[in-house]
Amino acid sequence: MKNAHDGDRPGLSRRSLLARTGAVAAALAAGPVLGARPAMAASWRVPGEDEAHRRTWMAWPSSTTIWGADLSKIQADIAKLAREVAAYEPVVMCADGSTAASRARAACGSTVTVTGSIPVSDCWMRDTGPLFRVDDAGGLDSFGLNFNAWGENATRFYGIPASAYDKDRVVAQRVASYSGVPFAKSSVVGEGGGVEYDGDGTLMATESCWVNSNRNPGKSRAQIEAELLSRFGASKMIWLPGVKGQDVTDGHIDGTARYIRPGVVMVQLAGAVRPDVWTANARAVRDVLVDATDARGRRLRVLTIEGPDTLPRIPSGRRAEFLSSYMNWTVTNGAIITTQFGDTAKDAAAKSAIAAAYGRPVVQLNLDGLYGNGGGGAHCVTMQEPGR
């Protein structure tokens, strides 16, 4: 997500450690819709990602305003990931018009469905797409989190015009319409990558990206929590420390801690390549979770893995800005798809630990373009639609 004029200068990736404003303070801590409805009835819930999917949604990046010379690298990784996901469940790739759709089809192949009827600005479907909910009677609906380009950080950090993300600001309701499900806007602003949910009543999120004036000015933590719990069909929020101002997301939780299933979470403790602020935050997240209970009163089982100690394919000057997170995996019906970084021992240990936790095969891909130039991963660019 770099400015077209940034080239390969370090510190300007999606999770860059340097804000252009210089205000780099670690803090542990709009289009038409189908009618905004009151918060959902108790029977509605967002299923856990480990539950069965109907399909996965993705978005094809085609903006040189956003990506500049890095666009081809990002497209190659998006296509590689889409083909892999499609081996386990259907994939719908949204593309910005017929020309972009044609290029996406050529890159992704026949196993991926590409539509040019849902315009997109960029590839971050986890943050821009709808959250799908199910009810006890087999119904399906959805809601959006009012994506505003990560609190307009894309403009403040990288100088990308706010208008470059106009299509992504309304993509959630367009995806919902394509799926034929009702859609409503939440009363808070945020991104899907900023909240983890177990499908059984418990959420976890970082304060750094939700209780933040760039997204929810004037709203208290209690107000934000109440809206998220209501929309997700949950009854308990676990607030976690975060890191504000050092990456464009303000510290999304999905790079550090993830639900495996209800009652079980995994945390990645930073490897040697991660700067100290992220190492400290990962430990703080783990410390909160080991003492936490969920909505059912269960003490959480906290699994840990370690990040890579080396990034042999990445130039030394860019390693600190690289998103070296195994945690940013995407869950499919048949496998967990994550990344490998070239640290043979750590890659193997992470693969083994994730496979044991889920009881599913784990596929590791080289997605250096996406994780390095983009600063996001497999989870960031996918959104699951649950089966009914």
Side-chain angles (χ1 to χ4, degrees):
M1 187 188 310
K2 293 163 58 176
N3 188 319
H5 305 295
D6 286 335
D8 286 329
R9 285 180 291 171
L12 294 176
S13 72
R14 181 169 181 265
R15 293 178 182 268
S16 171
L17 298 176
L18 294 176
R20 285 194 171 187
T21 61
V24 185
L28 293 183
V33 298
L34 302 179
R37 303 189 311 277
M40 63 188 171
S43 61
W44 289 94
R45 69 184 179 93
V46 177
E49 294 182 35
D50 60 310
E51 299 182 48
H53 301 173
R54 178 187 180 192
R55 56 191 170 191
T56 283
W57 288 87
M58 296 182 68
W60 182 254
S62 57
S63 171
T64 53
T65 300
I66 293 173
W67 286 109
D70 290 325
L71 180 60
S72 62
K73 299 175 186 177
I74 303 304
Q75 289 176 334
D77 278 1
I78 291 292
K80 182 190 297 185
L81 178 62
R83 292 192 299 268
E84 192 64 44
V85 175
Y88 302 99
E89 62 187 66
V91 175
V92 178
M93 180 76 70
C94 304
D96 191 20
S98 59
T99 299
S102 294
R103 291 172 179 167
R105 289 188 189 100
C108 295
S110 61
T111 62
V112 175
T113 299
V114 178
T115 176
S117 65
I118 304 176
V120 292
S121 302
D122 206 351
C123 59
W124 310 107
M125 187 60 79
R126 178 66 48 181
D127 292 346
T128 63
L131 280 298
F132 292 95
R133 309 184 305 192
V134 298
D135 71 3
D136 299 336
L140 185 69
D141 79 352
S142 64
F143 66 94
L145 290 169
N146 305 299
F147 177 74
N148 72 342
W150 309 278
E152 307 302 344
N153 278 340
T155 299
R156 281 193 291 269
F157 280 26
Y158 318 127
I160 299 173
S163 60
Y165 291 95
D166 282 351
K167 294 166 186 175
D168 280 356
R169 297 172 198 271
V170 295
V171 75
Q173 50 260 47
R174 289 172 173 165
V175 169
S177 178
Y178 184 102
S179 291
V181 302
F183 174 84
K185 285 186 175 183
S186 169
S187 66
V188 296
V189 174
E191 304 87 37
V195 59
E196 277 285 306
Y197 40 94
D198 69 353
D200 195 37
T202 310
L203 308 180
M204 59 181 181
T206 58
E207 291 192 44
S208 55
C209 61
W210 289 98
V211 192
N212 191 320
S213 61
N214 65 12
R215 292 169 174 84
N216 293 297
K219 284 188 168 64
S220 67
R221 191 180 83 166
Q223 290 172 319
I224 296 165
E225 176 179 316
E227 173 66 1
L228 290 174
L229 291 176
S230 180
R231 291 291 174 190
F232 277 84
S235 58
K236 181 167 184 176
M237 172 70 83
I238 301 173
W239 286 108
L240 296 166
V243 178
K244 185 183 292 186
Q246 293 213 23
D247 76 319
V248 76
T249 74
D250 289 307
H252 274 182
I253 187 59
D254 66 350
T256 303
R258 302 287 303 278
Y259 275 110
I260 303 295
R261 57 185 172 275
V264 182
V265 297
M266 182 175 281
V267 177
Q268 178 176 309
L269 301 178
V273 294
R274 296 296 279 155
D276 290 345
V277 63
W278 296 105
T279 301
N281 185 67
R283 290 172 180 162
V285 166
R286 176 201 57 192
D287 291 348
V288 172
L289 291 174
V290 295
D291 289 329
T293 57
D294 66 12
R296 305 291 183 183
R298 293 173 291 223
R299 176 63 64 90
L300 293 179
R301 180 185 175 201
V302 181
L303 309 175
T304 60
I305 61 174
E306 292 185 358
D309 292 324
T310 63
L311 296 171
R313 298 188 297 260
I314 307 303
S316 59
R318 303 194 65 185
R319 291 173 189 168
E321 288 79 40
F322 191 95
L323 178 63
S324 53
S325 173
Y326 298 111
M327 305 301 296
N328 204 264
W329 61 65
T330 189
V331 179
T332 74
N333 287 331
I336 311 302
I337 302 172
T338 186
T339 190
Q340 51 90 353
F341 299 113
D343 182 330
T344 304
K346 288 296 186 70
D347 288 350
K351 181 176 183 178
S352 177
I354 297 166
Y358 273 104
R360 301 186 194 187
V362 171
V363 177
Q364 288 184 309
L365 302 177
N366 177 341
L367 299 172
D368 285 354
L370 186 61
Y371 279 73
N373 297 294
H379 192 245
C380 297
V381 298
T382 55
M383 177 60 82
Q384 74 283 349
E385 180 178 339
R388 302 192 188 213

